[in-house]
Amino acid sequence: LRKLEEINRLSRRLSAEKNMSADDLIEDLNAIDNKNDYAALPRLFAYFLGAGSFAFALGSSWQDSLVSAVTGLLIGVSLHFVHRFIKTDLILTIIGSIVATLSVNLMHLVGIGEYRGLIILGALMVLVPGAFFVNSIREFSQNNYARISSFRSRYQSLYCCFLWHSPPASDGRAHPSHPFHSGSPGSANRNCQP
């Protein structure tokens, strides 16, 4: 938001000063773009607190939340140093994901942390872009499941397709989730009719 305020201020100044050169405008825009919003310590604290809070909100214990918070701190430190050399958000997200999974697995290997999945998930939440996250929460809170239901129907169609073409078990019986499981081979499940 601070950068947006600076752009608005620059645009008002541009409207007031009709004779601003293009070079001055580009220089001011680059200065706004390269401006840091917060110092390093508050950012690292936000990574720490955010990862730990998300892990706790997802149902992990306080010990696993603390491990997730430390992992979030490690993500923040690594991104702080790598950001000078790499400016692409996608690459930074991949690097943060690598740091998260490696650090959690190494800590788990030495006996720190119990549920790796929740720890990693809590730590990775600090890498989710805020706008997408807020929009998805808004969709859920307004009971707008249209996107989810279309995904569900696509998934169900693929699932049924794989079931129709999967071989029966070695003893000749179908798996309980197979469309023909209801007893006789000719009776198909209603959800997976061809």
Side-chain angles (χ1 to χ4, degrees):
L1 289 176
R2 201 175 287 175
K3 286 184 180 182
L4 185 62
E5 288 176 13
E6 292 288 328
I7 296 263
N8 284 338
R9 193 173 298 127
L10 179 63
S11 126
R12 283 189 221 103
R13 197 176 89 199
L14 183 62
S15 296
E17 300 174 15
K18 303 282 185 203
N19 57 357
M20 182 182 258
S21 70
D23 291 334
D24 290 340
L25 181 63
I26 290 173
E27 183 181 319
D28 289 345
L29 285 173
N30 285 333
I32 291 171
D33 190 35
N34 294 328
K35 190 180 236 182
N36 276 337
D37 291 333
Y38 299 101
L41 284 178
R43 261 190 178 176
L44 294 177
F45 180 71
Y47 275 101
F48 179 84
L49 187 64
S53 299
F54 273 118
F56 192 72
L58 291 171
S60 70
S61 64
W62 66 270
Q63 294 96 342
D64 284 349
S65 297
L66 185 61
V67 173
S68 184
V70 170
T71 305
L73 181 65
L74 292 173
I75 291 171
V77 168
S78 65
L79 293 182
H80 177 73
F81 289 114
V82 172
H83 191 267
R84 296 182 217 170
F85 310 108
I86 299 173
K87 299 294 183 189
T88 309
D89 288 337
L90 176 66
I91 303 296
L92 290 172
T93 302
I94 291 170
I95 290 170
S97 302
I98 291 170
V99 168
T101 54
L102 281 177
S103 61
V104 168
N105 282 312
L106 287 174
M107 284 189 268
H108 190 266
L109 189 65
V110 293
I112 302 171
E114 188 175 354
Y115 296 107
R116 285 182 290 181
L118 287 175
I119 296 169
I120 291 172
L121 191 57
L124 289 180
M125 289 302 289
V126 298
L127 298 173
V128 174
F132 293 125
F133 183 69
V134 170
N135 286 339
S136 67
I137 295 297
R138 186 189 69 226
E139 296 293 330
F140 276 113
S141 69
Q142 294 176 352
N143 294 330
N144 186 2
Y145 301 114
R147 293 181 187 165
I148 296 166
S149 65
S150 67
F151 173 76
R152 182 181 173 271
S153 63
R154 283 188 219 131
Y155 172 76
Q156 184 178 7
S157 300
L158 286 172
Y159 178 69
C160 291
C161 177
F162 285 119
L163 285 179
W164 276 99
H165 296 290
S166 64
S170 61
D171 60 357
R173 293 181 304 145
H175 189 273
S177 63
H178 196 278
F180 294 126
H181 178 263
S182 60
S184 63
S187 59
N189 187 341
R190 288 189 188 118
N191 293 332
C192 295
Q193 301 239 347

